[in-house]
Amino acid sequence: KRGPKPKFNDVACPNEDCEYYGLTGKGNVVGNGTYQIKGKRIRKYLCRKCGRVFCDRTNTFFYDLRKDESIILLALKMSIKGMSIEAIADVLEVQPVTVRSWLSRAAIQCEKVHQEKMKNLDIPKVEMDELWTVVKKK
């Protein structure tokens, strides 16, 4: 259809070099189509300020993965419960290297979240389980 593209005021540009990086409601982000992965529709966006094209999954764990999100989350839950990589791959009918890749990506994403959220904390007391860990190591 011709005409102006709809603006998405709740979506921010993920380009760190953009003037509107991380800011919502500026009117710079417009829709740029959709694509499907396993029946799920993923929306693409365009930042009018810097020209960056991105999607709903940009800067998330699921970016550039073709498998359904529920299967990947199930694999992570199985790993947390102690199943081996080979067992997870067998149950989900994927290759073990794929499961290893998902676990590696999850670890990297967790580290990013940890570094972002665990800043400038004023913690006056040490929890006993952390103290026990220190004592046990010594």
Side-chain angles (χ1 to χ4, degrees):
K1 293 181 178 180
R2 296 195 179 268
K5 294 183 178 183
K7 294 181 179 170
F8 295 90
N9 291 324
D10 59 339
V11 180
C13 179
N15 183 5
E16 294 181 4
D17 297 328
C18 182
E19 181 180 334
Y20 293 129
Y21 167 70
L23 301 176
T24 59
K26 297 295 183 182
N28 61 312
V29 177
V30 294
N32 193 30
T34 59
Y35 64 95
Q36 287 190 341
I37 296 176
K38 304 288 184 186
K40 184 175 180 179
R41 189 174 297 261
I42 307 295
R43 178 165 290 283
K44 295 191 310 184
Y45 304 100
L46 172 69
C47 176
R48 294 279 183 156
K49 186 71 176 175
C50 67
R52 170 94 184 257
V53 176
F54 58 99
C55 69
D56 286 332
R57 290 181 165 191
T58 301
N59 292 338
T60 68
F61 170 76
F62 299 105
Y63 180 71
D64 205 25
L65 292 178
R66 304 291 182 245
K67 232 12 170 178
D68 188 38
E69 292 177 11
S70 62
I71 293 174
I72 298 169
L73 290 174
L74 182 60
L76 296 177
K77 287 178 186 177
M78 288 179 188
S79 174
I80 290 170
K81 294 295 183 180
M83 288 182 69
S84 69
I85 291 175
E86 289 75 18
I88 295 169
D90 187 42
V91 170
L92 298 178
E93 298 178 348
V94 296
Q95 296 295 318
V97 70
T98 303
V99 176
R100 279 189 203 94
S101 171
W102 293 343
L103 293 175
S104 174
R105 287 175 69 119
I108 292 168
Q109 190 69 19
C110 287
E111 184 62 31
K112 287 179 184 177
V113 170
H114 179 76
Q115 288 176 356
E116 182 64 31
K117 298 296 181 185
M118 304 302 278
K119 290 181 182 176
N120 302 325
L121 297 177
D122 183 27
I123 303 173
K125 297 179 183 177
V126 176
E127 295 293 327
M128 289 306 292
D129 57 341
E130 282 84 6
L131 186 60
W132 177 248
T133 302
V134 171
V135 171
K136 189 176 179 181
K137 285 183 179 178
K138 298 278 182 187

